[in-house]
């Protein structure tokens, strides 16, 4: 930011310097020449008065007293007098140097009394012109240096506060809600800082209320689940073995649901996935696949889990299981054929040798229509009459652990969950592209 501002200001200063400096240099050059020519005209005026005075005194031009005239001729100069005489209409008299190299000349007309021509070497004038150009160039450089100094100070004054405000916004995005009393004396940026202060207070308050609500809801759910489990525990004492089996299965479901609620509450208070211990991904997914195999079997379909059991990723187990449950449920409701959940590794960028763990959920159905694909993860969007929350929730759960959920293929549908550190979400993945 600072560099762009500085370059812009320097470019403007340079352009302004050229626009003003070139005409100023030309003016200085012509000004020196005008001074020298005016000096020659003044000398010619004096010579003309002297010649005219001698004529009035009856001096014959051929016997002109050149001593008084020579005093008005510059060093190394040459004066040419052309005047009429009774014997010569244009008599010419040269006074001074025989020849003048590279002369600067001025002429003076005396009417019927003749004319004067004064020549002097132009080298002194050119020397003065070069000195004038040097002075102009020095002034231009001084002005440009002063302008650049002002540009550096201005760029720092503008860019540094912008960086501070951007860093503060980044800290706010990372969950740092501490107030920052610093102000920079720039009205617009100070206004942004005031808004960030207000947003910090509002976001912190909302998060606190949401955490309190999550705690209250989880408490109420656990209380209700405890009551349900007590009723199921009573049914487990029934004389019918089938009833006992169903009661025990239901109690196991209640226990898993209670454990999932506790893990989700704990995970909502965690800072991220970077400091978590890697978990075996296949082992975390087995319970989800086992739970959904029965609904798939009732629909005449299969649910298969494939993958290397040794693959691990730094994720929250409850988040991963809930996200996979959403994808499997989506495959059951909208897909067809066998649903395959596979766990494998892929390579990130070409220069990154660290593999990433990806969980793919694919089925053999008709897939996702082209007009629906860009909006499939939008919250509240649904083309089948559902709530439109599931896929948005699944993506949020995966991104909370620094991963990424994408529709990797439209027909047949293939969803890919990329697991890894917080940088995974922004890294290109070297897998097949989604067909258009």
């Amino acid at each position: 930011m600072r560099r762009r501002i500085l370059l812009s200001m320097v470019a403007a200063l340079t352009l302004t310097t050229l626009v003003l400096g070139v005409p100023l240099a030309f003016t200085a050059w012509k000004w020196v020449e005008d001074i020298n020519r005016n000096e020659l005209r003044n000398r010619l005026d004096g010579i003309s008065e002297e010649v005219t005075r001698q004529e009035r005194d009856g001096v014959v031009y051929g016997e002109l007293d050149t001593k008084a005239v020579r005093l008005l001729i510059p060093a190394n100069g040459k004066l040419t007098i052309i005047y009429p005489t009774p014997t010569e209409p244009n008599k010419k008299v040269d006074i001074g140097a025989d020849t003048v190299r590279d002369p600067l000349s001025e002429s003076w007309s005396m009417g019927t009394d003749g004319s004067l021509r004064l020549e002097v070497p132009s080298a002194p004038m050119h020397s003065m012109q070069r000195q004038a150009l040097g002075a102009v160039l020095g002034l231009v450089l001084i002005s440009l240096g002063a302008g650049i100094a002002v540009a550096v100070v201005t760029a720092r004054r503008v860019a540094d506060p912008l960086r501070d405000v951007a860093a503060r916004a980044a800290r706010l995005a990372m969950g740092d809600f501490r107030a920052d009393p610093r102000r920079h004396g720039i009205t617009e940026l100070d206004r942004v800082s005031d808004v960030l202060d207000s947003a910090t207070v509002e976001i912190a308050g909302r998060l606190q209320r949401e955490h309190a609500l999550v705690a209250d809801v989880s408490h109420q759910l656990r209380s209700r689940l405890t009551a349900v489990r007590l009723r199921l525990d009573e049914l487990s004492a029934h004389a019918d073995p089938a009833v006992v089996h169903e009661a025990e299965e239901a109690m196991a479901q209640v226990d898993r649901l209670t454990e999932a609620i506790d893990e989700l509450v704990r995970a909502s208070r965690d800072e991220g996935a970077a400091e978590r211990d890697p978990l075996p991904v296949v082992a975390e997914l087995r319970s989800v696949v086992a739970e959904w195999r029965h609904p798939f079997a009732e629909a005449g379909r299969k649910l298969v889990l494939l993958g290397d059991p040794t693959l691990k990723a730094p994720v929250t187990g409850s988040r991963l299981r809930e996200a996979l449950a959403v994808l499997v449920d989506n495959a059951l409701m909208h897909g067809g054929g066998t649903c395959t959940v596979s766990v494998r590794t892929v390579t990130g960028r070409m220069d990154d040798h660290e593999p990433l763990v990806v969980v793919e959920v694919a089925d053999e159905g008709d897939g996702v229509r082209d007009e629906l694909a860009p909006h499939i993860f939008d919250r509240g969007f649904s083309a089948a009459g559902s709530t439109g929350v599931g896929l948005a929730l699944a993506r949020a759960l995966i991104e909370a652990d620094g991963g990424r959920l994408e529709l990797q293929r439209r027909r047949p549908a293939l969803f890919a969950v990329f697991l890894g550190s917080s940088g995974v979400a922004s890294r290109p993945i070297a897998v097949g592209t989604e067909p258009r």
Side-chain angles (χ1 to χ4, degrees):
M1 182 65 178
R2 180 192 298 179
R3 183 179 180 183
R4 289 197 297 270
I5 295 175
L6 183 59
L7 289 177
S8 300
M9 297 185 71
V10 169
L13 285 170
T14 304
L15 180 61
T16 304
T17 301
L18 290 176
V19 170
L20 297 178
V22 172
L24 182 60
F26 178 77
T27 301
W29 184 276
K30 298 298 292 183
W31 177 66
V32 172
E33 182 178 348
D34 290 342
I35 289 177
N36 283 269
R37 289 189 179 277
N38 286 332
E39 183 182 357
L40 292 182
R41 293 190 190 102
N42 292 333
R43 290 176 180 273
L44 286 173
D45 185 27
I47 294 172
S48 174
E49 291 178 356
E50 176 64 23
V51 171
T52 303
R53 183 187 64 78
Q54 291 187 27
E55 181 184 15
R56 286 198 306 267
D57 293 343
V59 177
V60 180
Y61 281 109
E63 301 175 356
L64 182 65
D65 184 8
T66 60
K67 293 181 179 180
V69 175
R70 287 182 183 276
L71 295 176
L72 297 175
I73 300 174
N76 300 321
K78 177 182 179 181
L79 174 65
T80 301
I81 303 175
I82 301 176
Y83 59 94
T85 64
T87 58
E88 294 184 46
N90 292 309
K91 186 175 181 179
K92 180 178 178 183
V93 176
D94 293 329
I95 304 173
D98 295 335
T99 58
V100 179
R101 297 182 58 184
D102 190 17
L104 174 66
S105 62
E106 280 292 327
S107 300
W108 188 272
S109 175
M110 296 185 296
T112 58
D113 293 334
S115 63
L116 304 175
R117 179 180 177 84
L118 182 59
E119 297 178 356
V120 296
S122 61
M125 182 191 71
H126 292 327
S127 178
M128 293 177 60
Q129 287 177 325
R130 286 192 291 270
Q131 292 175 3
L133 288 182
V136 171
L137 180 60
L139 290 175
V140 167
L141 292 178
I142 292 174
S143 301
L144 184 60
I148 291 176
V150 173
V152 170
V153 174
T154 303
R156 182 182 295 112
R157 176 174 169 77
V158 174
D160 288 351
L162 284 175
R163 280 203 299 267
D164 291 341
V165 172
R168 184 179 176 191
R171 291 196 302 270
L172 179 62
M174 295 175 63
D176 185 355
F177 302 117
R178 291 174 297 176
D180 191 345
R182 286 183 301 173
R183 294 297 182 267
H184 303 91
I186 301 176
T187 304
E188 292 77 6
L189 292 180
D190 290 345
R191 174 59 180 161
V192 173
S193 297
D194 293 338
V195 172
L196 287 177
D197 280 342
S198 302
T200 297
V201 174
E202 180 65 21
I203 293 173
R206 289 191 179 188
L207 286 177
Q208 185 175 5
R209 291 192 296 271
E210 288 179 3
H211 286 162
L213 178 62
V214 168
D216 293 341
V217 170
S218 63
H219 175 73
Q220 292 298 107
L221 285 175
R222 283 194 295 267
S223 299
R224 299 296 184 270
L225 289 173
T226 301
V228 172
R229 196 183 192 292
L230 291 175
R231 297 294 299 273
L232 292 174
D233 189 53
E234 293 178 1
L235 286 177
S236 64
H238 198 276
D240 189 349
V243 174
V244 173
H245 176 72
E246 291 297 328
E248 290 176 348
E249 289 292 329
M251 283 192 293
Q253 289 282 357
V254 170
D255 291 339
R256 285 196 292 269
L257 181 57
T258 303
E259 181 183 357
I261 292 173
D262 292 338
E263 288 188 6
L264 286 175
V265 172
R266 286 194 300 270
S268 67
R269 297 170 181 170
D270 290 343
E271 295 298 327
E275 298 180 357
R276 295 194 182 95
D277 294 331
L279 299 177
V281 178
V282 174
E284 291 293 329
L285 302 182
R286 281 200 182 101
S287 60
V288 179
V289 172
E291 182 179 346
W292 283 90
R293 272 188 178 138
H294 182 66
F296 270 84
E298 289 183 346
R301 298 171 57 189
K302 291 182 179 180
L303 178 61
V304 180
L305 174 63
L306 303 174
D308 184 357
T310 62
L311 293 179
K312 295 182 178 182
V315 296
T316 304
S318 57
R319 288 174 178 168
L320 179 59
R321 292 194 298 271
E322 289 300 319
L324 181 66
V326 170
L327 296 177
V328 172
D329 181 33
N330 188 71
L332 177 62
M333 296 296 296
H334 308 294
T338 300
C339 177
T340 303
V341 179
S342 58
V343 181
R344 63 188 183 93
T345 59
V346 295
T347 302
R349 295 172 299 184
M350 296 300 294
D351 58 346
D352 189 352
H353 300 290
E354 181 181 356
L356 303 176
V357 178
V358 59
V359 179
E360 295 176 334
V361 180
D363 61 67
E364 300 171 347
D366 295 333
V368 181
R369 298 198 302 272
D370 291 340
E371 64 272 16
L372 302 181
H375 309 286
I376 196 170
F377 291 104
D378 295 346
R379 185 176 293 274
F381 176 81
S382 176
S386 60
T387 61
V389 176
L391 289 177
L393 174 62
R395 171 174 273 187
L397 289 172
I398 296 302
E399 289 180 350
D401 277 340
R404 189 177 64 169
L405 171 59
E406 296 290 345
L407 175 61
Q408 202 68 30
R409 187 180 64 215
R410 295 182 182 180
R411 284 184 288 273
L414 186 151
F415 289 88
V417 178
F418 300 98
L419 306 176
S421 63
S422 58
V424 173
S426 62
R427 287 156 56 175
I429 305 300
V431 294
T433 56
E434 180 185 331
R436 295 294 179 186

